[in-house]
Amino acid sequence: MTIHINNITKRYSDEIILDDITLKINDGEHIGIVGENGCGKSTFLKILAGKEKCQQGQIITTKNTKIGYLEQNFREFKGSVHDYLMSSRNDILKMQNQMHCMEIEISDPDHLECLDDLLKRYGNLCERFEMAGGYDLLCKVDQMTQGLRIAYLIDHDYDTLSGGEKMRVNLAYLLIQDLDVLLLDEPTNHLDRAGIQWLEKYMSSLRKTMIIVSHDRFFLNHTVSKIYEIENGEIVMYPGNYDDYKKEKALRFERLKHDFEEQQKQILKLKNTIRRYRQWAYEGDNESFYRKAKQLEKKLSQIERLKNTEYANRKMNIALPACERSSKEVLSIKELCKRYGDKNLLDHIDLTIYWQDRIALCGDNGSGKSTLIRILMNQLQADEGSVKKGNHVDIGYLPQIIIFNDEKQRLLNSFCYEAAMSEEKARPYLRKFGFDGDDMAKRLEHLSGGERVRLKLAMIFVNHINFIIFDEPTNHLDFSSIEIVESILEEFKGTLLIVSHDRYLIKRLTKRKMILEKGKLIECQNAF
């Protein structure tokens, strides 16, 4: 199986998303797609899946290639989750329903007279079911629902599920099918830690062709062997996983920068030579100097100019304001309990956070992480226990959703007001957080997710905060923005508590790892 992508171009109005792309995807390749938000990653998958057309070029696949696409919009279905997962083989689903009806008949005492005939027909139906692959399909359904942690949904009506539940069910539906190519757009969304770990192992062992768009760098490291980066309408291929891509991209940037600088020197040298020849020709009225100048001008015009590339993911050199040292014990949590009805969401939690601790708070969705953070921030009252803050502890909090007081204000004006700082001092300070002059003129309502996080961080650090609590700081950010946030956090000298599912960020920034599970807080050496 091979996919040939020949000279495809995709535009939205006047914006070019994919510009004359030519690629060849071979059988069994595991490819990760990365790039800034809005660069065309999901569009590329939709074109491969036949969900969108392009203005130019074509996609050629081997005959009878079966392609599956995990998308965000799901088809309607009336019936149980079990029936939905089996519906890829309606013939098998129909036989299973017939078998179930016959089992009811066989167990009915009123049918004793025709029991032998029923058993014979049931045996024949079971044999046909097995020959058609029914039992194999049932095993697959069980494997996927257990692995993706959705077995509890198997008897639920499909159309009553939440969006996140439907996403997981549809991922299972794709993996169950006998497909040649899997196109997966953010497959780890809505999966818990155990589900992601299972999916990593399962997908890394698959021999199928997989093309994955994901913001989970740890997941890409474990599932792909090639990275395609979409940037300015072009696709650049990097061999290896995400870590290999980062290293090779840095080297490629240095090569491109060197080539550009050398070409600029060559162009400047040619321009100076042309200017001298023209001056000599003018002063001496010498036609040969004119001819030489024209020859060099022609040579100059034929040079294919290299782009002055910028490496968006470079490490930022940030000098953060110094923070005051707090007491040795920053926060002491004793016997903390929080109940909702009969459920003990937090069950006698104990935790001591020390000065310059860097702690990751992990756990499945609904385990109580945000509830614990809200109690620490005095936004919620615990039912039992205590939270004691140490001396000289100044807490800064970065929530999942960042909303500013006046979204109509411009970035610079808002920061100056919050920080009580003049524009003259604010501009160089904001540049440390990646904001240029044009950014500072933006209205807050037009900021991207990454810009909101960086501005909030700038507001936190300007107040010399020495203990920071982050609640999912990198959700929905592209890699470039995440890299900037991580660079900022690496420079912070105070105490850090991060609630996050981002294992790559956790590995890079934290030293202690706590898992909240079934109401208990457990410290472990390796959270993943």
Side-chain angles (χ1 to χ4, degrees):
M1 189 288 305
T2 305
I3 300 176
H4 292 276
I5 301 164
N6 295 331
N7 306 107
I8 65 167
T9 296
K10 176 67 177 180
R11 298 185 192 88
Y12 289 120
S13 300
D14 295 331
E15 184 182 4
I16 296 179
I17 304 298
L18 301 171
D19 188 10
D20 196 28
I21 302 298
T22 296
L23 295 170
K24 179 183 176 183
I25 298 171
N26 296 313
D27 187 28
E29 286 191 314
H30 289 191
I31 298 168
I33 308 291
V34 302
E36 304 289 319
N37 288 343
C39 71
K41 301 186 295 293
S42 296
T43 299
F44 182 64
L45 287 192
K46 289 175 183 177
I47 291 170
L48 292 180
K51 302 289 183 180
E52 284 201 21
K53 297 187 180 298
C54 44
Q55 284 84 5
Q56 177 183 311
Q58 57 183 341
I59 309 289
I60 302 173
T61 58
T62 307
K63 190 176 180 181
N64 299 323
T65 297
K66 290 177 285 185
I67 298 176
Y69 172 52
L70 179 67
E71 54 186 325
Q72 310 298 319
N73 298 318
F74 312 116
R75 65 186 175 94
E76 293 184 3
F77 182 84
K78 295 295 183 183
S80 68
V81 168
H82 172 271
D83 288 353
Y84 182 81
L85 294 174
M86 296 284 287
S87 66
S88 61
R89 288 288 306 274
N90 278 317
D91 56 330
I92 290 178
L93 179 59
K94 185 177 179 180
M95 279 190 280
Q96 187 188 30
N97 289 334
Q98 289 173 344
M99 288 165 62
H100 181 65
C101 291
M102 292 187 72
E103 287 163 2
I104 294 173
E105 287 187 71
I106 289 169
S107 63
D108 189 344
D110 293 338
H111 293 152
L112 286 176
E113 294 181 3
C114 55
L115 184 60
D116 289 342
D117 180 58
L118 280 172
L119 289 172
K120 183 178 179 180
R121 285 164 48 207
Y122 181 74
N124 290 336
L125 185 58
C126 288
E127 187 175 344
R128 283 167 46 213
F129 185 78
E130 181 178 9
M131 292 292 290
Y135 292 110
D136 291 337
L137 183 58
L138 286 174
C139 285
K140 278 188 176 182
V141 168
D142 183 64
Q143 179 190 15
M144 298 306 157
T145 54
Q146 293 291 338
L148 295 174
R149 316 265 283 186
I150 54 173
Y152 70 96
L153 294 173
I154 198 71
D155 295 322
H156 289 215
D157 286 338
Y158 175 80
D159 60 4
T160 65
L161 302 183
S162 68
E165 289 169 338
K166 284 183 178 179
M167 171 67 80
R168 285 181 281 162
V169 169
N170 276 271
L171 177 57
Y173 178 81
L174 272 190
L175 297 178
I176 285 165
Q177 296 180 64
D178 184 23
L179 300 168
D180 302 302
V181 181
L182 291 172
L183 306 175
L184 305 176
D185 196 349
E186 299 292 355
T188 60
N189 278 5
H190 309 290
L191 290 182
D192 61 22
R193 179 169 46 89
I196 293 172
Q197 287 178 317
W198 178 86
L199 186 63
E200 280 175 352
K201 291 178 182 177
Y202 180 79
M203 293 182 68
S204 62
S205 66
L206 281 182
R207 302 296 180 188
K208 302 179 182 196
T209 302
M210 292 189 300
I211 305 173
I212 304 166
V213 171
S214 178
H215 282 80
D216 189 330
R217 296 165 291 173
F218 210 90
F219 182 76
L220 291 177
N221 265 347
H222 286 79
T223 55
V224 307
S225 56
K226 184 181 288 187
I227 295 285
Y228 286 164
E229 181 179 38
I230 302 179
E231 189 174 21
N232 299 322
E234 300 178 352
I235 293 183
V236 180
M237 189 278 288
Y238 296 89
N241 61 16
Y242 178 81
D243 281 344
D244 297 324
Y245 147 75
K246 289 297 297 178
K247 292 173 187 174
E248 182 56 35
K249 181 172 181 179
L251 292 173
R252 177 175 173 268
F253 168 70
E254 292 301 328
R255 289 195 299 268
L256 291 173
K257 181 182 176 184
H258 175 267
D259 291 345
F260 175 78
E261 289 173 351
E262 288 300 310
Q263 188 184 69
Q264 290 301 302
K265 290 177 184 177
Q266 180 188 0
I267 290 170
L268 181 60
K269 186 178 179 180
L270 276 174
K271 286 180 176 178
N272 288 336
T273 304
I274 291 168
R275 187 170 62 252
R276 284 197 301 269
Y277 276 137
R278 285 199 168 276
Q279 184 178 352
W280 294 340
Y282 175 76
E283 291 174 353
D285 196 20
N286 190 324
E287 186 63 30
S288 64
F289 284 139
Y290 278 119
R291 285 197 299 271
K292 287 180 180 179
K294 285 187 175 296
Q295 288 170 359
L296 291 178
E297 285 173 341
K298 184 177 180 181
K299 180 179 179 180
L300 181 63
S301 68
Q302 291 174 343
I303 292 176
E304 187 175 346
R305 304 297 176 100
L306 298 176
K307 294 179 181 178
N308 184 11
T309 185
E310 291 187 4
Y311 184 26
N313 292 340
R314 63 189 179 280
K315 179 176 171 61
M316 297 181 68
N317 295 314
I318 298 171
L320 294 177
C323 58
E324 181 185 359
R325 192 195 192 287
S326 70
S327 57
K328 182 179 179 181
E329 287 193 5
V330 174
L331 213 61
S332 179
I333 302 168
K334 301 289 186 184
E335 295 291 315
L336 198 70
C337 296
K338 184 64 183 177
R339 302 180 191 91
Y340 286 100
D342 296 332
K343 183 178 180 181
N344 287 329
L345 193 61
L346 302 176
D347 188 7
H348 295 89
I349 297 294
D350 289 312
L351 174 64
T352 302
I353 300 175
Y354 297 98
W355 167 246
Q356 292 189 324
D357 260 348
R358 303 176 78 83
I359 299 175
L361 177 59
C362 310
D364 295 339
N365 293 335
S367 62
K369 301 186 302 297
S370 292
T371 298
L372 177 57
I373 295 302
R374 289 180 65 198
I375 292 173
L376 299 186
M377 294 299 301
N378 290 321
Q379 297 174 356
L380 189 66
Q381 188 70 36
D383 295 319
E384 294 179 31
S386 64
V387 177
K388 183 180 178 182
K389 189 172 75 168
N391 296 324
H392 309 295
V393 175
D394 296 310
I395 301 178
Y397 175 56
L398 193 145
Q400 289 188 37
I401 301 172
I402 299 171
I403 303 295
F404 297 102
N405 292 330
D406 184 359
E407 291 280 327
K408 297 293 183 183
Q409 261 196 323
R410 300 198 183 274
L411 187 154
L412 180 61
N413 295 338
S414 176
F415 177 79
C416 289
Y417 176 78
E418 292 290 333
M421 185 183 288
S422 68
E423 288 191 13
E424 184 181 4
K425 290 183 178 179
R427 287 181 184 278
Y429 180 81
L430 287 171
R431 288 192 192 98
K432 296 177 182 179
F433 291 83
F435 295 110
D436 59 24
D438 291 338
D439 293 329
M440 294 182 206
K442 287 182 180 177
R443 295 192 186 279
L444 297 179
E445 62 185 336
H446 297 143
L447 296 184
S448 67
E451 289 169 333
R452 286 178 176 272
V453 171
R454 284 189 279 127
L455 179 56
K456 187 67 175 178
L457 284 172
M459 291 176 173
I460 287 173
F461 286 122
V462 79
N463 291 316
H464 304 279
I465 295 298
N466 57 14
F467 177 33
I468 301 179
I469 299 174
F470 286 174
D471 193 356
E472 299 288 359
T474 59
N475 272 6
H476 312 299
L477 302 190
D478 55 46
F479 290 152
S480 209
S481 297
I482 293 172
E483 287 281 333
I484 293 173
V485 170
E486 287 175 344
S487 295
I488 294 170
L489 297 184
E490 279 186 322
E491 298 300 320
F492 178 56
K493 304 303 181 186
T495 307
L496 193 61
L497 175 62
I498 298 179
V499 178
S500 181
H501 289 90
D502 189 335
R503 295 165 293 168
Y504 203 96
L505 176 141
I506 288 170
K507 184 177 180 181
R508 180 174 173 181
L509 294 178
T510 64
K511 302 296 183 184
R512 295 176 66 189
K513 299 177 181 66
M514 316 296 299
I515 294 182
L516 192 55
E517 188 172 35
K518 296 180 179 178
K520 301 295 185 180
L521 192 63
I522 305 162
E523 184 159 6
C524 58
Q525 295 301 313
N526 187 2
F528 298 99

